[in-house]
Amino acid sequence: MSALDNLSTILASGARLTVPLAFAACGEYLAERAGTVNISVEAMMLGGAFSSVAVASATGSATVGLVAGMAIGVVLGFVHGNLSHRAAINTFVVGLVLNTLVLGLTSYLITTNAFEGHQVWQVNVPVLSDIPIVGRALFVERWPAYLLIGLIPLTWWLVERSRWGLELRAVGEAPQAADVTGIDVNRRRRQALLWCGALSGLGGAYLAVGEVGAFSQNMTAGRGYIVIAAVIFGAWRLGRTLLGCALFGLADAMRLALPALGVTLNSQLLIVAPYLLALLAMVVFATKDREPRALGAAFERGTT
Amino acid sequence: MSGTKQAAPAGSAPRPQQGGGDGPGRRLITYLEPGGLGGGLPTAGTTVLAVAVALVLSSLLVAATGGSPSDAVRALFEGSLGGSTAWSSTLLYTAPLLLVAVGACISTRAGVFNLGQEGQLLIGALAGAWVALRLAVPGPALLLIALVAAMVAGGAWAGLSSLMHRWRGVNIVVSTLLMTFLAQQLVAFAVTTPWLLQETRLGNATVSPQSNKLPEGALLGSLGQYPNLQINGGLLIALLAAVVIAVLIARSRWGFRLTMLGLNPRAARHAGVRVAAMAGAALALSGAFAGLAGAILLTSPVGTNRLQAGISTNIGWDGLLVALVARNRPLLAIPVALLFGVLRSGGGFLAATGVPAFLVDVVKSLLVLAFVIPPVAVAAVRRRKEARRASAQAAPARVPEEAAL
């Protein structure tokens, strides 16, 4: 009985840790299909987390904070897109600088301001949450988590089934060819970054006003990089990417839960597990074949 | 700052950036414009303006959060350049920053974007500490062996990414990034594991997650002790590295091939450059410099002379930013590294004025943007203008051509 309780607790905590990753992963997946390795997803999550707490404190509403978190993500996506796809600065450079900037800015602002804690409310789905073992993990969540039910299929549809997504994939696979057919390559990539920003900002905001209810310095602590790892692990397919997020979420939950259970596993190993997993996945599955052909390459008309 | 003559002359018309997608083996490698500052006067003017904007924004931020910008500036200055001890600490930070940047210059020039200096630096420090604490070699030889071990380890760590790319097509940017987190935990593991590098327990003393203090013989001494001003050996090594690499890039066959590889890998291949080997070596070499930076940090006074999980304090990331601002020119990296060193050692004094030291990170990234954006923006504006002029000229010219048909 106690073992089952523990399992249920770990699953529930794993689910809660997975949700912010899943939001951001949907965005990163879409951005990468368009050909951008968006390193600044970390900045988007952290910025989203901070602004959600700041705005929630100012307005007294966690929901407004959530929207503000998304808005900051969109702003960062706009900045990233314009710098890397309009001004054609190396996209990794842009991502790196934005990560440094947002980490510095939020760490600075949190030390000079005090924010009230606010949290979005929790929704227990009536009957379903009583299901043993998985009930608590799947049906007792802060309400924004249920947005995933709509956002995941929407992202999938956008990329795989919509006209826009067809063009988006073309832009990620063969920008020159897409350009010839009259698609504005860099415009599509900028649009993809806006979507990525909105979802990553939401993911960060969920972490702050959803699970924790406060902001602390560097609270995303590399979750953005985990998201990038998840997309690679998922070989640029949405389903597997989300599976990767769930794995990483569970690994995180295990790391937190094991000491309490009296199991001593090497904590460094557990921290490093997601990254190691992603690297191994890249090496073993040779994702070369699945990866968007033009991933990470800047596009400029007339250079080929 | 018109220091060197590079393979690509400064002030020439800005060359369009290489689009990627150059054959399947090369598509993951990204390009930066490794040429000169480019753009001449407009770029210089815009840069000055952008830097001013960055500084004004930072001051506004301080003022908006209730601090005093003038106090902050004074503290930054006092802590970095106001006196010989301040200068010493600035220069001590400059050395590893410069080394990382020189390494980054090499790899980026070859068209390989290494994002893992932070990890390579830590691995270098780890190897250096292990050698210095475990090998019973007397005095200066120990230091030398430790530095070499750090270079080899950092190079090997970066080389792993290079091998993964070559064998399995793993994205170099992403693998070097992920390897950084591995390195961080590896160092954390080493300093919390008694049989590896954790402090030895003496009697009932509690041990911290750090290594023993390095023996005196393994420490980089100060070369010359002027009134309180220490010129650490590490700085000389870094300066030497910057000059040597700058000369090699500008003058040697290797440097020419490296630059050619970065500018146009296809042309390089046709010209007989062994592209994969050259790019791999460039990545490994940049890792080696990052590793050396780690050992220098460890053996110099700002690095506590013990291996700690947080020993790097983001010097790997900052070194990369230095290379970006210096636009991959090792000599230009010297003043930029000094600037970053100033921000680092000055940042420590900020807290006393009530302005959180995190401000330095904000200033730093705004400055990077201020240096990186203007050349690209000027080039883009110029390109757009040229395109407009070209289309304006082409339109009437086409008419007689068609008439002749």
Side-chain angles (χ1 to χ4, degrees):
Chain A
M1 187 61 209
S2 152
L4 280 186
D5 274 354
N6 287 336
L7 183 62
S8 169
T9 309
I10 290 178
L11 281 180
S13 133
R16 279 200 298 276
L17 290 163
T18 301
V19 173
L21 299 181
F23 277 122
C26 283
E28 180 71 18
Y29 156 78
L30 194 137
E32 293 213 6
R33 287 306 289 267
T36 318
V37 187
N38 179 24
I39 302 274
S40 69
V41 62
E42 173 78 10
M44 291 166 174
M45 288 183 82
L46 191 59
F50 175 81
S51 59
S52 68
V53 168
V55 170
S57 169
T59 60
S61 156
T63 306
V64 178
L66 213 61
V67 175
M70 279 179 89
I72 285 294
V74 171
V75 168
L76 284 169
F78 179 81
V79 172
H80 188 127
N82 273 287
L83 290 181
S84 65
H85 294 314
R86 204 190 277 270
I89 301 174
N90 183 302
T91 176
F92 302 109
V93 172
V94 174
L96 187 64
V97 176
L98 284 183
N99 285 348
T100 321
L101 181 65
V102 171
L103 178 58
L105 203 57
T106 52
S107 308
Y108 176 80
L109 289 174
I110 197 68
T111 50
T112 55
N113 291 286
F115 297 118
E116 286 170 47
H118 288 278
Q119 239 174 326
V120 291
W121 63 88
Q122 186 158 301
V123 176
N124 296 13
V125 180
V127 180
L128 295 173
S129 57
D130 295 333
I131 299 174
I133 303 174
V134 294
R136 260 170 71 207
L138 296 180
F139 303 107
V140 182
E141 302 287 346
R142 306 274 158 189
W143 71 262
Y146 298 104
L147 287 178
L148 278 173
I149 299 170
L151 279 172
I152 293 170
L154 177 61
T155 305
W156 179 83
W157 180 83
L158 272 178
V159 173
E160 299 287 350
R161 287 291 179 271
S162 74
R163 160 99 202 192
W164 183 74
L166 180 69
E167 294 183 359
L168 201 74
R169 282 179 287 143
V171 159
E173 296 286 344
Q176 299 296 345
D179 183 55
V180 170
T181 62
I183 299 169
D184 189 337
V185 172
N186 286 328
R187 188 158 161 231
R188 287 293 176 287
R189 289 184 172 174
R190 290 200 301 273
Q191 290 167 345
L193 278 173
L194 294 184
W195 180 260
C196 179
L199 291 191
S200 307
L202 182 58
Y206 181 82
L207 200 65
V209 293
E211 292 304 337
V212 183
F215 182 84
S216 54
Q217 189 211 327
N218 193 18
M219 83 179 299
T220 52
R223 282 191 173 77
Y225 300 117
I226 299 260
V227 165
I228 298 170
V231 175
I232 298 163
F233 178 83
W236 294 270
R237 295 294 177 273
L238 186 57
R240 268 194 269 173
T241 298
L242 292 168
L243 182 71
C245 288
L247 267 174
F248 297 157
L250 270 179
D252 218 7
M254 297 284 266
R255 180 172 63 86
L256 299 174
L258 285 179
L261 298 178
V263 183
T264 45
L265 250 172
N266 186 302
S267 70
Q268 277 90 29
L269 191 65
L270 280 165
I271 296 172
V272 100
Y275 303 109
L276 205 57
L277 217 61
L279 268 173
L280 286 180
M282 285 200 293
V283 171
V284 173
F285 300 125
T287 49
K288 216 172 175 178
D289 304 331
R290 309 304 290 287
E291 160 180 302
R293 294 265 155 71
L295 192 63
F299 171 77
E300 207 167 330
R301 289 188 88 158
T303 47
T304 297
Chain B
M1 280 174 206
S2 59
T4 41
K5 271 189 188 145
Q6 298 286 349
S12 64
R15 138 190 346 99
Q17 248 183 336
Q18 281 290 321
D22 231 330
R26 298 279 310 174
R27 70 174 188 282
L28 297 170
I29 291 174
T30 49
Y31 305 94
L32 277 185
E33 184 191 15
L37 282 171
L41 213 55
T43 304
T46 330
T47 306
V48 170
L49 196 71
V51 169
V53 169
L55 294 179
V56 168
L57 277 180
S58 313
S59 317
L60 283 179
L61 183 66
V62 175
T65 49
S68 152
S70 63
D71 280 0
V73 171
R74 199 169 307 129
L76 272 178
F77 181 80
E78 283 296 318
S80 56
L81 305 170
S84 49
T85 25
W87 263 101
S88 302
S89 104
T90 299
L91 293 180
L92 284 173
Y93 280 121
T94 303
L97 284 169
L98 181 57
L99 276 170
V100 172
V102 168
C105 289
I106 297 172
S107 58
T108 316
R109 255 176 190 275
V112 185
F113 199 68
N114 180 2
L115 206 54
Q117 277 91 354
E118 178 82 359
Q120 292 142 17
L121 185 149
L122 283 168
I123 292 296
L126 175 64
W130 194 87
V131 166
L133 290 169
R134 287 284 184 271
L135 291 191
V137 183
L142 184 63
L143 173 64
L144 193 67
I145 295 174
L147 292 183
V148 170
M151 281 192 89
V152 170
W157 192 255
L160 275 178
S161 292
S162 176
L163 287 181
M164 284 193 283
H165 176 242
R166 201 157 168 196
W167 289 341
R168 309 293 291 171
V170 176
N171 186 322
I172 284 184
V173 178
V174 176
S175 70
T176 50
L177 179 68
L178 296 183
M179 299 268 288
T180 300
F181 301 106
L182 258 64
Q184 281 170 349
Q185 295 312 316
L186 204 60
V187 171
F189 176 69
V191 295
T192 50
T193 310
W195 55 266
L196 264 169
L197 278 176
Q198 191 174 18
E199 217 176 352
T200 20
R201 190 183 289 275
L202 298 171
N204 282 330
T206 49
V207 290
S208 317
Q210 59 179 12
S211 75
N212 284 337
K213 209 166 166 60
L214 261 56
E216 275 305 314
L219 299 184
L220 253 178
S222 177
L223 301 178
Q225 184 104 10
Y226 312 97
N228 286 325
L229 177 66
Q230 294 181 36
I231 307 286
N232 190 268
L235 185 67
L236 296 184
I237 294 177
L239 287 175
L240 194 68
V243 172
V244 167
I245 292 298
V247 169
L248 281 179
I249 285 177
R251 291 273 175 262
S252 75
R253 192 188 296 179
W254 171 78
F256 180 70
R257 285 181 174 160
L258 194 77
T259 308
M260 176 158 66
L261 175 62
L263 287 176
N264 192 338
R266 207 180 278 173
R269 187 158 47 230
H270 285 307
V273 175
R274 288 173 59 209
V275 168
M278 185 110 198
L283 182 56
L285 198 56
S286 80
F289 274 107
L292 181 61
I296 294 233
L297 193 63
L298 182 75
T299 55
S300 78
V302 287
T304 67
N305 298 335
R306 293 169 185 271
L307 184 69
Q308 292 170 328
I311 186 171
S312 153
T313 59
N314 293 338
I315 280 184
W317 300 117
D318 278 6
L320 185 56
L321 294 179
V322 169
L324 295 176
V325 173
R327 301 187 68 78
N328 303 317
R329 307 173 91 198
L331 287 184
L332 205 54
I334 297 172
V336 180
L338 186 66
L339 173 67
F340 275 59
V342 163
L343 286 174
R344 238 166 211 284
S345 63
F349 280 65
L350 266 184
T353 64
V355 176
F358 297 115
L359 177 71
V360 167
D361 295 328
V362 181
V363 176
K364 204 165 56 192
S365 22
L366 287 177
L367 277 181
V368 172
L369 284 177
F371 281 112
V372 169
I373 293 175
V376 187
V378 168
V381 167
R382 189 169 299 175
R383 231 175 8 250
R384 214 158 289 164
K385 239 183 243 169
E386 265 165 25
R388 207 173 304 142
R389 199 180 315 133
S391 64
Q393 282 170 351
R398 201 170 291 150
V399 179
E401 241 174 73
E402 280 164 359
L405 286 170

